[in-house]
C-alpha cells in the first residue's frame, strides 16, 4: 500500500518515511526522523530529533516523541531515540531522546504499550512486551525489562530497574529496584509484597519454576536470608541445575549488593563513559 500523508501535516523533506505509512492531519515530523513501514500517526503527533522508529508502530493524538531531554546537562548534542516494532503510544504519551550521558540514547524495544499521558525520560531502556499504564512517569536512566507492568500514576525514580515480569501497583512511588517476578506496592512504604503468580502463569512459566520462585520469595522476604545462603539452599535441592527464572532473580540481587539506596545501576550509570555511535549497539534490546 502507498504511504499517505495529510496535506495538513508538516513532514520535513529530509525525513525518511517507509512504505504503507499513514500520517494524519496536524502532525509534525522533523528532518532527522526515520519512520518504518506500516507505522501510523493518527493526528497531532510530533516526532522530532534524531529519532528512528521501526515498523507497525501506532501513535495516537498528542503524542510527543523524541523531544529534548529534561536534563540540566543537555547542551544540544544530537542525541538519539530508537524505537523498535509493533509498539502502541496512546494519547498524550511523551518519549524523550537521550541526554549527553551513558550512550546518549533512549531505547524502546518491541510490542510495548504506553497508555495515556505516560512519560519515558532520557536514557531509559524499555525492553519488550512492557506495559506502562496511564500517567506512569519514568525518571531518567530507568530500565524496564520484558513483560513488566507498571500501573497507573506510578512514578519510578531515576536509575531504578524494573525486573522481568514484575508488577508495580497503581499510585506507587518506586524508589528502589523492583525484583523480577515480584509484585511491589506502596508510596511511602514501597516494597515487595508477593510473587506475580498470574503474570508468570500467563507468560507460560512452568509450575516447577513458579514453585521455586515462591520458595525464593519466602527465603528472601520472610526469613531474611542472604543471597549466598539462598543460593546454597537451592544448589543442594536442585543439584546445581538452576531454572532460568531463579537465575534471573539471583542476578537481580547480585546487582543491588552494595548499591546506593537499593538502585543497583546508579553508581555504574553515573560513571559510564560515552560510547561512540559507530561502536554502540543499535539493537533496541539488551542495550544495557
Amino acid at each position: 500500500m502507498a504511504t499517505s500523508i495529510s496535506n495538513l501535516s508538516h513532514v520535513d523533506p529530509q525525513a525518511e518515511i517507509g512504505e504503507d505509512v499513514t500520517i494524519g492531519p496536524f502532525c509534525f515530523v522533523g528532518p532527522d526522523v526515520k519512520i518504518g513501514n506500516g507505522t501510523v500517526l493518527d493526528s497531532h503527533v510530533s516526532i522530532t530529533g534524531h529519532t528512528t522508529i521501526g515498523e507497525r508502530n501506532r501513535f495516537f493524538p498528542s503524542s510527543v516523541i523524541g523531544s529534548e531531554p529534561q536534563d540540566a546537562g543537555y547542551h544540544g548534542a544530537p542525541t538519539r531515540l530508537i524505537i523498535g516494532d509493533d509498539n502502541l503510544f496512546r494519547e498524550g504519551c511523551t518519549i524523550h531522546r537521550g541526554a549527553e550521558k551513558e550512550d546518549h540514547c533512549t531505547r524502546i524495544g518491541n510490542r510495548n504499550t504506553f497508555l495515556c499521558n505516560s512519560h519515558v525520560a532520557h536514557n531509559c531502556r524499555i525492553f519488550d512486551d512492557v506495559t506502562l499504564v496511564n500517567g506512569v512517569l519514568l525518571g531518567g536512566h530507568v530500565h524496564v525489562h520484558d513483560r513488566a507492568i507498571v500501573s497507573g500514576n506510578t512514578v519510578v525514580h531515576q536509575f531504578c530497574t524494573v525486573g522481568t515480569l514484575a508488577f508495580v501497583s497503581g499510585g506507587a512511588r518506586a524508589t528502589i529496584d523492583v525484583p523480577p517476578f515480584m509484585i511491589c506496592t506502596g508510596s511511602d512504604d514501597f516494597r515487595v509484597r508477593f510473587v506475580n503468580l498470574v503474570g508468570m502463569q500467563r507468560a507460560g512459566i512452568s509450575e516447577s519454576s513458579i514453585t521455586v520462585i515462591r520458595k525464593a520469595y519466602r527465603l528472601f522476604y520472610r526469613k531474611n536470608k542472604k543471597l549466598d545462603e539462598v543460593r546454597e539452599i537451592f544448589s543442594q535441592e536442585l543439584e546445581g541445575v538452576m531454572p532460568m527464572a531463579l537465575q534471573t532473580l539471583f542476578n537481580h540481587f547480585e546487582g543491588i549488593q552494595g548499591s546506593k539506596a537499593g538502585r543497583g545501576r546508579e553508581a555504574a550509570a553515573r560513571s559510564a563513559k560515552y560510547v561512540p555511535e559507530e561502536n554502540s549497539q543499535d539493537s533496541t534490546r539488551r542495550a544495557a
Side-chain angles (χ1 to χ4, degrees), residues 255-274:
I256 62 173
Q257 285 187 334
S259 64
K260 178 180 178 181
R263 297 184 290 273
R265 294 184 52 258
E266 185 143 8
R270 288 188 181 277
S271 63
K273 295 181 179 180
Y274 169 58

Side-chain angles (χ1 to χ4, degrees), residues 2-6 17 19-24 27 38-42:
T3 291
S4 172
I5 301 177
S6 171
I17 309 299
E19 299 178 355
D20 192 26
V21 172
T22 299
I23 300 178
C27 294
T39 292
V40 176
L41 282 61
D42 280 5

Side-chain angles (χ1 to χ4, degrees), residues 210-284:
I210 292 174
T211 299
V212 167
I213 293 298
R214 293 181 70 175
K215 180 170 183 178
Y217 162 79
R218 290 192 294 270
L219 291 171
F220 280 121
Y221 293 103
R222 297 288 178 83
K223 297 185 178 180
N224 296 316
K225 298 287 187 181
K226 296 183 178 180
L227 175 59
D228 290 342
E229 296 177 281
V230 176
R231 196 193 299 274
E232 180 61 26
I233 290 170
F234 281 111
S235 180
Q236 294 180 5
E237 290 188 1
L238 302 174
E239 299 181 348
V241 181
M242 302 288 184
M244 184 177 296
L246 183 60
Q247 188 58 55
T248 298
L249 189 62
F250 285 166
N251 291 343
H252 165 82
F253 285 108
E254 288 175 355
I256 62 173
Q257 285 187 334
S259 64
K260 178 180 178 181
R263 297 184 290 273
R265 294 184 52 258
E266 185 143 8
R270 288 188 181 277
S271 63
K273 295 181 179 180
Y274 169 58
V275 180
E277 181 175 329
E278 60 269 23
N279 295 326
S280 64
Q281 181 180 353
D282 280 342
S283 170
T284 55

